[in-house]
Amino acid sequence: WYADLQVATTSSSDKANLVQTSREWIALKWNTRMCVGRKKGRVKLWSLSKETDPTCLTSFAVPSRRVDSIQFHPTADQILSTLGNDGKRICIWNIDKSDSPAYEIATPSATCFHSFSWKQDGVLLATSASSALGIWDPRATLGGGHDGIKGSRVIWLGETNYLFTAGQSKFRNREYGVWDARNLVSPVKKTSLDQSTGIMLPLYDQDTETMYLIGRGDATVRSLQFSDLVASPSVSENLACGTQATVYGAALMPKTRLNVMRAEVARVLAVVDHAIMPISFEVPRKQYLDFHADLFPDTKGNKPGVSGPDWLAGKNGQVDKVALDPAAAPKKNGVAASCSVTPADTPTVAVTTPASDSGSTLATKQLPTKSAAPTAVDSAAASSPSPADSAPKAVSENARTTEPALTEVKPKKQLPQYGSTHRNTYKYLSGKLYHVSTHYDDLRDLSVDKNGILELIQANVKFIAVPITGAGGRVGIIRVDQPGRLPTHIPSVLCGSPVTYFAFDPFDPHILATASEDDTIRLWKLPETGLEQDMSNDSAIGKLKEVSMEKISMIAFHPTARGVLMSVSNDLNKPAVRVWDVTSGEPKIRFETQSTVLSAAWSTDGTKVAVHGKDKKLRLFDARSGQIVGQVQPSHDGIVRPSRLVWLDETRLASVGFGAGSMREIILFTLDRRIAKHSIDISPSVMSVYYDPDCQVLYVAGRGDRIIHTYAVLDKGVEPLAKIEGLTLQQGFAFLPKRVCHVKETEIARFFRLTPTSVEPYGVRVPRARPEYFQDDIFIDTADTEHPAQDAKSWFEGCNKALDRISLKPDTMIALSQAPPPPQKEQSRAKFELGKKIVSDDERRQNLMDRMFSAAKHVDEDEEPEQKAATVPEVDEDEWVSLQQRKHFVF
């Protein structure tokens, strides 16, 4: 990363990418010149140099109050295009003669231009506007675009006749489209992505025909693969790549700056909070010694194909292409120039994570390391780090010239690291959509206009419940063992008034509780064979009602005791929580919450109730006395919208809600303080949440999204895991008990995903090396959530009992902890023991010889003085020298 930078994450214009790159610089620049659009309606052209300060070459005014977008011509020199904030005209300037624009393209209607893009051959210009797409050369051909009021983006797909647009529909669904420039009446393909207010930033790689989609405010990078763009184009979506931070802008690094010898096919520079984060896409190969020409075709160089005056005169030209093979690069002083430059004074550690399952493309996120603060020149001139070529230099040339240090300090050598030393077991979990024969299709009249507090789907091992539009407050009942096409009229329970919440009894799959606008909670007993016709209001087996209770917003059964139900209501503007004895139909406990409740949840042991209020406070109540045992302020500091609470254990809980600017976020709490916060993305839709305490995995899904986010819950925060992406937009999910998972296929969770027209079963699976054995390290003894630990009477008397735990191990499987080691491990161990034995024998013989030589040496040293005393007579001092000389000739 390029960390500790004071980068802006917002702009007065939604057309700004916030970052641009060239071969030498990271900024808003083209070749050796940088152009800056200012708010005061002026454009300045700057020349950048590593040796001197930037100098302004020219400046000119544009016919608008502010410049929102500027682009250089793709093939012609000295040609610049601008778009003002009013969106009424696009001006094409000759920089050498900037008194007035050479051409102006004005919108022919009341709509405003959102963006524009040059075709790569420099002949045509495409524009996008609300419900309008135009091609200009020089006349305009308008066609249909995106209906949303938010800004859209358009990009030429290389030198072909096809365009790519990204925008929003009239229902705020983000979507993309592929258009034929020869016929803009209807798109070749238009696909909806998700529901969000963030602007989509498309980045196109012409060499690989890959489009990278980054949503402003998202933490995900999508990629689309095009094929056959000449005749009949087709688009396939790759698996989305998650990032570690929220992205506000992005740009593609030029191909000549990629580390081609590591098979790096693309690098996205993303603007995040106080940093620029490189995201590298690599293709795994068996060896990285040779240049892989199949991945890197010749790419465009940096020399213009035609001059500005020639292009204005009607001439066209193409930019010459250059080879990316380092062996074919031009040589300097007899040494081939490298195709990837890395700042040596910015050591990095590369962590590789999967980005796609279609073509084995990997995304590498380069993490920041602690280093000295760079100078202004270093920050602008730094190129993306790469472990492969960070070794040749220790200190950058700029650092040596700008820092007059007394002694040269060399940074510690960074050894390459592969993977993470503490990799999470569930890092590569995946969601498997079950076969279409197990789906519940043709769901009609789903009621999606309910309050955001209501979960639109509830399920257990026998039944699925969803709200149905129509009079009488209908909740449709679907049998789990009867998948396929649903009947036109789904049998339902009729509550007599619109439903506000419903939930199944966890200890009896046939009991359904509903709350409705007539301030009544009803209990229904579903037949073993399901419903064959509607159940009327009179068929309810119990009704819970109190005179002072009104506006019931939520109900929840006790997690360990049978027959205990919690309800949340707004009693004459005095929000209250009641705890009911279902058997007697009486509210045994009632306490006020001091603020309108947006979410409430039982603790795992059923002794406390957590409440998130409209006053942005999290309060913890004793479930029996109603006394406050903890309070945290503030919880979520954004707009007041429904949130979700879930207990992680007896002392920690998580809340999913909205921060500032509609930023969806996860906050972890203890009983008295907030310990961590993680931003998800920007979207107005509420989210559903589920926590798996056995695997410590948190599942978060937004209503109207396609992605289910998964997180590993740690002691001091959450760690993003792989995302589960569906084919259609979702309205919610409902998880089933752990015992129904297919443990033989390492399935750690199973849930139903609700879409506007169907219910889809999903399984969450973890790849394992030896799946033929029972994975007892991830399938620990789980809580038996289908059988109560106690009854309502004992709980109200103050008794607390935990749920029993059951084993998920099938009788026919052997536990992994008891399995024999794999054959290759046995062979390796045998070779190790044999080598150890050989080394031991050699060492034993060597030690024996050393002892023998040592003993002989000591004997010689002891005998030498005695021999000298016996054989050498006393001599005079003068004769001693000659005697010593004669001793050398004894041998």
Side-chain angles (χ1 to χ4, degrees), residues 176 193 208-213 220-226 235-242 265 281 354-362 706-707 723 725-726:
Y176 69 85
L193 292 173
T208 59
E209 296 183 345
T210 304
M211 182 71 70
Y212 300 93
L213 283 177
T220 303
V221 178
R222 294 180 172 90
S223 60
L224 309 175
Q225 187 63 53
F226 293 93
V235 186
S236 60
E237 296 187 22
N238 299 327
L239 186 65
C241 167
V265 295
F281 291 82
S356 172
D357 57 354
S358 61
S360 69
T361 301
L362 297 181
R706 291 198 308 168
I707 294 177
K723 294 177 174 61
E725 187 168 1

Side-chain angles (χ1 to χ4, degrees), residues 304 386 500:
S386 171
T500 59

Side-chain angles (χ1 to χ4, degrees), residues 461-478:
V461 295
K462 291 190 175 182
F463 301 104
I464 301 172
V466 293
I468 303 297
T469 58
R474 306 173 63 87
V475 179
I477 306 299
I478 303 171

Side-chain angles (χ1 to χ4, degrees), residues 272-421:
V272 298
D273 289 320
H274 308 293
I276 295 178
M277 177 180 62
I279 306 173
S280 179
F281 291 82
E282 299 179 356
V283 176
R285 289 299 173 99
K286 292 182 179 180
Q287 54 86 16
Y288 297 95
L289 299 178
D290 300 327
F291 174 75
H292 300 283
D294 58 324
L295 298 179
F296 301 101
D298 292 348
T299 189
K300 288 187 176 181
N302 61 341
K303 295 182 179 180
V306 64
S307 64
D310 289 343
W311 183 84
L312 295 176
K315 295 183 179 180
N316 297 320
Q318 295 297 322
V319 176
D320 293 335
K321 293 189 175 182
V322 297
L324 295 177
D325 188 353
K331 296 184 178 182
K332 297 180 180 180
N333 298 328
V335 180
S338 174
C339 288
S340 179
V341 177
T342 300
D345 54 347
T346 309
T348 61
V349 178
V351 180
T352 303
T353 58
S356 172
D357 57 354
S358 61
S360 69
T361 301
L362 297 181
T364 302
K365 291 175 283 186
Q366 299 175 351
L367 306 180
T369 57
K370 186 176 181 181
S371 60
T375 63
V377 177
D378 290 333
S379 300
S383 59
S384 181
S386 171
D389 47 11
S390 61
K393 293 189 287 185
V395 180
S396 69
E397 205 168 308
N398 289 328
R400 286 197 293 268
T401 58
T402 58
E403 298 180 4
L406 297 178
T407 59
E408 184 178 6
V409 180
K410 295 183 179 180
K412 185 178 180 181
K413 183 178 180 181
Q414 297 289 330
L415 297 178
Q417 298 183 10
Y418 304 96
S420 174
T421 56

Side-chain angles (χ1 to χ4, degrees), residues 664-680:
R664 298 191 292 192
E665 60 187 12
I666 302 172
I667 301 181
L668 300 189
F669 300 93
T670 60
L671 300 182
D672 56 356
R673 62 188 179 91
R674 185 168 73 173
I675 58 177
K677 182 175 76 171
H678 177 81
S679 299
I680 302 175

